Amino acid sequence: MTGPHIGIHATAWTATVVLGLSSGGVLGADTARADDPIDSLSARQIADRSSDALRGVHSMHLSTRSTPDDGGAPTTLDLIVDRAGNCTGSLGLGGKQGSVRIVKRGDTVWVKPDAQFWKNRDSRVGSALASILAGRYMKGSASDPRLSNLASACDLATFQKVVSDNAKTDKGTLTKGRRTTLAGTPVVPLVRTWHGQKVTMYVAATGKPYPLRIDVTGGSPKADATVGFSAFDKPVPTTTPPPDETVGINAQETHAT
């Protein structure tokens, strides 16, 4: 047996977010004044400023919901992350695949799959590991190949680099909508259409021009997703699971064999 491998493509949200943030096609300098009302700027200028604002964030709360093109159950992600790679939150794998709680601090990661997750793995191994865990977290190194894919979801710095590297794309048609509100907050929507896909990014119209939500619909293959951003620069909680609520991942491997 190779141990309890948590094979989750946790960084799938990155592509969705970058798709929206890079939609501005920022190819020239932003010549507008810094104190100009955001909705007085062009769509391109707003996209530029929004990308800059996001790249300057040290921590944030990310929430995503993505529906596969076959119409299956959506996957979700709800994480507080920072540039140092710390995080806390959860990932929902969709339908009967279950969900996983995750806490990462430095190079140490704790994960707690729910009962539904283990039920959908190899019946013998899943049952054994669920019994060993008894509701506790698995603990190991973030570089452990059995956990690294999941831990990579906590890498805000890499995400921001991807945003920066993609900030000069010029795909599709970008337009600016009228100022509106999103959950009571004034925003300016930017809409990009490209190859049948529509990406709407809602940028805060007051304060720093952070992106607050991105909606993606259509395209081929079809991709319907929503990404939410909040709690900018609020630190990741430092609390980690106590020793009596954890089991080392290598210890599980020994007992489940």
Side-chain angles (χ1 to χ4, degrees):
M1 175 178 170
T2 59
H5 189 282
I6 310 297
I8 302 169
H9 294 289
T11 56
W13 57 269
T14 300
T16 301
V17 176
V18 170
L19 182 64
L21 290 178
S22 63
S23 64
V26 186
L27 300 179
D30 182 356
T31 58
R33 288 162 41 106
D35 58 353
D36 284 343
I38 193 73
D39 48 356
S40 72
L41 306 180
S42 69
R44 194 165 295 237
Q45 289 170 326
I46 295 172
D48 188 9
R49 293 194 181 183
S50 182
S51 293
D52 287 345
L54 191 70
R55 288 198 298 269
V57 169
H58 292 277
S59 60
M60 73 171 91
H61 178 208
L62 285 166
S63 61
T64 73
R65 181 180 179 87
S66 178
T67 302
D69 59 1
D70 62 5
T75 57
T76 61
L77 181 148
D78 192 298
L79 284 180
I80 303 173
V81 296
D82 68 18
R83 285 187 185 177
N86 303 308
C87 78
T88 183
S90 63
L91 296 94
L93 309 183
K96 297 181 179 180
Q97 295 299 309
S99 64
V100 180
R101 290 284 308 170
I102 178 172
V103 177
K104 182 174 177 290
R105 201 77 196 168
D107 187 51
T108 303
V109 61
W110 295 258
V111 298
K112 184 166 69 172
D114 66 4
Q116 193 65 43
F117 175 93
W118 292 121
K119 184 177 180 180
N120 282 278
R121 299 315 181 262
D122 178 277
S123 59
R124 181 184 69 84
V125 175
S127 177
L129 291 173
S131 177
I132 293 167
L133 282 172
R136 294 175 292 181
Y137 283 82
M138 291 189 290
K139 178 183 178 181
S141 169
S143 59
D144 188 310
R146 295 165 294 184
L147 298 173
S148 58
N149 195 30
L150 180 59
S152 66
C154 302
D155 193 350
L156 176 59
T158 295
F159 161 66
Q160 290 173 310
K161 183 179 185 303
V162 172
V163 172
S164 179
D165 289 346
N166 283 271
K168 292 186 178 180
T169 188
D170 195 27
K171 297 176 180 178
T173 300
L174 182 69
T175 57
K176 179 182 72 173
R178 292 180 178 272
R179 180 191 283 225
T180 183
T181 59
L182 182 68
T185 299
V187 293
V188 176
L190 299 181
V191 180
R192 186 190 72 163
T193 55
W194 186 58
H195 286 189
Q197 186 174 71
K198 179 181 178 181
V199 179
T200 304
M201 179 167 67
Y202 298 90
V203 180
T206 58
K208 289 188 177 181
Y210 291 126
L212 301 183
R213 194 176 81 193
I214 295 174
D215 295 333
V216 183
T217 58
S220 181
K222 184 179 179 181
D224 290 347
T226 295
V227 184
F229 307 82
S230 61
F232 301 102
D233 286 327
K234 292 186 178 180
V236 175
T238 58
T239 303
T240 58
D244 62 351
E245 293 182 16
T246 67
V247 177
I249 191 170
N250 291 326
Q252 293 177 65
E253 179 176 351
T254 300
H255 287 89
T257 302

